[in-house]
Amino acid sequence: MTSRTAPRPPRPRRMAATLLGALLCALAGGLFGASPAAAHAALTGTDPQDGAVVKTAPKDISLSFSEGVQLSADSVRVLDPKGNDVAKGEPHHVGGKAASAAVALRSGLPEGTYTVAWKAVSADSHPVAGAFTFSIGKESKTSVTVGSGASDGGVKTLYDTGRYIAYGGFVLMVGACVFAGWCGGRSPAVRRLAAGGWVLLFAATVALLLLRGPYTGAGFGLAETREVLATKPGAALLSRLLLLGAAAVFLSVLFGSYERGRDGSGKDSDRSESERRDLAYGLGIGGAVVAAGLAATWAMAEHASAGIQPWLAMPVTAVHLLAVAVWLGGLASLAVSMRSGPPVEREVVRRFSALAFGSVVVLVVTGLYQAWRGVGSWGALTSTTYGQLLLVKVGLVAVLVGVAWISRRWTSRLGEAAVPAQGTAPAEVAEKVGAERGAARSGKGTAWDSAGEGAG
């Protein structure tokens, strides 16, 4: 009898390491895409113009921007040659237009060169700042030195780091929950991944809320934090914290009471079919609402909320973030499941493979819309920083599609190498059982003989 050797399945640890490497490459691409590359509010005009020499002192200074801006008490300062602020009153929008700013000047200003230092928060939540000069009567020397931005480099670095950590926590938490709830991969490693994502997102959100004041140049303190909460980005961060409270309840049910209602094989033990179905539907609907709400906290306070078609851009951005989370977070869940815990079941791999393919399709469609909206023209692809970074992103998307194709092949191999279904056995086991049965028939003293003799 010629024995047939079954194909050797891929080594779980090596495959998990490869999956983690692919995940890091894909996550790097996702972070490039999520970076604040799009242009923020830009100064489009001033009155008086930059460098102009006017005969008489103007009554006020006005500025125009490419999009709406949020003003504070010191958003526009007008400094004389000695550095004294000659503005009167607080800055305000001209005619109620959010894309403008103006401040009145004191009367009787002497001749000389004046410096206008401005700062604001653009509609996409990022601070912008700058300065220009004009002269009354004639130019003169000035001792004024104006900084280049609304926040120092250290605060900006911390704030940007917090944003990326928040993205990563969202991806891990949502992706692990979908992998566990939809695909059925509820291993302890996936549970730890989901909990870790929640902790990262919560800690990063708290840090962003505390750093928001210094990041926009408003300073750090209780009063500044209260002012931040009154802004659109501050309200979005506070909403995210509230939604994370609901997410904690969802995680405790998904990996707690729902899991305890299943036996060791992953099947429901005590619940009826209707109870199991109702609980699954409830978890699915509740989890979808919480995940969509968390994604909306980015969409409603950043780039999508400014510019053209915000009514369409905000839901598209939320769907884009959810697709990133389902794919990359699911890929991470699959990797940690292979790294530790029981073997990954064939049905789990099959469901994730289909889900990953759909997520990549959604990513491509929503990404194309975001690219069109952000660039605006073909020439901007090479003439603007955002366009150049977008070309880099296109290359990264091609790499991500390749990673998706490779990961799909990996998951197919994992499905073929999964534990055989009930009622089947490997070739080696079948041969051993056949040998024992043959020995029983020939009376060579096996357990089958003993059983036969006892029965006789």
Side-chain angles (χ1 to χ4, degrees):
M1 180 177 179
T2 303
S3 63
R4 182 176 297 177
T5 304
R8 179 179 298 177
R11 295 181 180 177
R13 291 186 179 273
R14 180 179 299 177
M15 189 65 73
T18 309
L19 278 173
L20 286 173
L23 172 66
L24 291 176
C25 294
L27 186 58
L31 290 180
F32 271 106
S35 63
H40 312 311
L43 185 66
T44 58
T46 63
D47 185 19
Q49 296 182 357
D50 184 15
V53 179
V54 297
K55 294 181 179 180
T56 58
K59 294 182 179 180
D60 54 33
I61 302 294
S62 61
L63 302 88
S64 301
F65 298 91
S66 59
E67 65 179 45
V69 294
Q70 174 193 338
L71 303 177
S72 58
D74 59 345
S75 284
V76 182
R77 296 180 299 145
V78 184
L79 308 175
D80 64 14
K82 296 181 181 180
N84 300 316
D85 193 350
V86 296
K88 181 175 64 176
E90 294 187 356
H92 58 276
H93 296 297
V94 180
K97 297 180 179 179
S100 65
V103 67
L105 298 180
R106 298 175 185 173
S107 58
L109 295 180
E111 294 183 342
T113 297
Y114 290 77
T115 302
V116 180
W118 59 271
K119 64 179 181 179
V121 179
S122 58
D124 62 7
S125 79
H126 297 284
V128 290
F132 66 93
T133 62
F134 71 95
S135 300
I136 301 176
K138 61 180 180 179
E139 296 181 353
S140 67
K141 294 182 179 180
T142 177
S143 60
V144 175
T145 301
V146 180
S148 58
S151 60
D152 59 54
V155 172
K156 184 179 184 303
T157 299
L158 288 175
Y159 192 86
D160 289 342
T161 301
R163 290 181 67 248
Y164 291 132
I165 293 175
Y167 277 123
F170 175 78
V171 165
L172 294 178
M173 182 184 70
V174 173
C177 288
V178 172
F179 186 82
W182 179 262
C183 303
R186 297 185 186 87
S187 68
V190 175
R191 181 174 65 249
R192 290 192 295 269
L193 192 68
W198 187 94
V199 171
L200 285 177
L201 182 55
F202 180 84
T205 302
V206 172
L208 290 174
L209 195 57
L210 296 176
L211 288 171
R212 183 69 192 174
Y215 176 66
T216 58
F220 180 81
L222 185 59
E224 288 77 7
T225 302
R226 283 198 299 264
E227 292 179 2
V228 166
L229 292 176
T231 64
K232 183 171 63 175
L237 291 172
L238 182 59
S239 300
R240 190 180 302 168
L241 287 177
L242 296 176
L243 286 168
L244 282 173
V249 176
F250 173 82
L251 289 174
S252 66
V253 175
L254 177 63
F255 295 103
S257 60
Y258 183 70
E259 184 67 20
R260 285 193 296 270
R262 304 172 70 89
D263 57 26
S265 63
K267 299 180 180 179
D268 291 273
S269 55
D270 299 327
R271 296 192 181 100
S272 65
E273 181 66 21
S274 60
E275 290 176 337
R276 181 192 64 82
R277 184 172 58 250
D278 291 343
L279 182 55
Y281 283 154
L283 283 173
I285 295 173
V289 170
V290 173
L294 288 170
T297 60
W298 278 282
M300 297 179 66
E302 296 192 358
H303 298 294
S305 63
I308 63 173
Q309 299 179 346
W311 56 271
L312 178 60
M314 288 189 288
V316 167
T317 298
V319 172
H320 188 82
L321 287 173
L322 289 171
V324 171
V326 170
W327 179 39
L328 296 185
L331 193 61
S333 300
L334 179 60
V336 298
S337 296
M338 295 173 57
R339 182 77 179 177
S340 60
V344 181
E345 297 179 3
R346 179 181 302 176
E347 182 64 16
V348 172
V349 176
R350 186 191 66 79
R351 288 190 174 189
F352 173 70
S353 180
L355 196 63
F357 177 77
S359 298
V360 172
V361 172
V362 173
L363 280 174
V364 171
V365 174
T366 55
L368 286 175
Y369 171 76
Q370 290 176 322
W372 169 82
R373 183 175 178 269
V375 174
S377 66
W378 292 107
L381 283 172
T382 56
S383 61
T384 64
T385 302
Y386 175 65
Q388 293 166 1
L389 289 175
L390 183 60
L391 291 177
V392 175
K393 183 180 178 180
V394 169
L396 289 171
V397 168
V399 174
L400 297 184
V401 172
V403 171
W405 178 76
I406 294 172
S407 65
R408 187 173 176 83
R409 291 193 60 187
W410 281 335
T411 53
S412 298
R413 292 176 60 192
L414 287 173
E416 295 173 358
V419 178
Q422 186 176 1
T424 63
E428 293 82 0
V429 176
E431 291 177 2
K432 181 177 180 180
V433 172
E436 290 180 351
R437 288 179 177 175
R441 295 190 184 97
S442 60
K444 293 186 178 179
T446 65
W448 297 97
D449 289 321
S450 300
E453 291 174 358

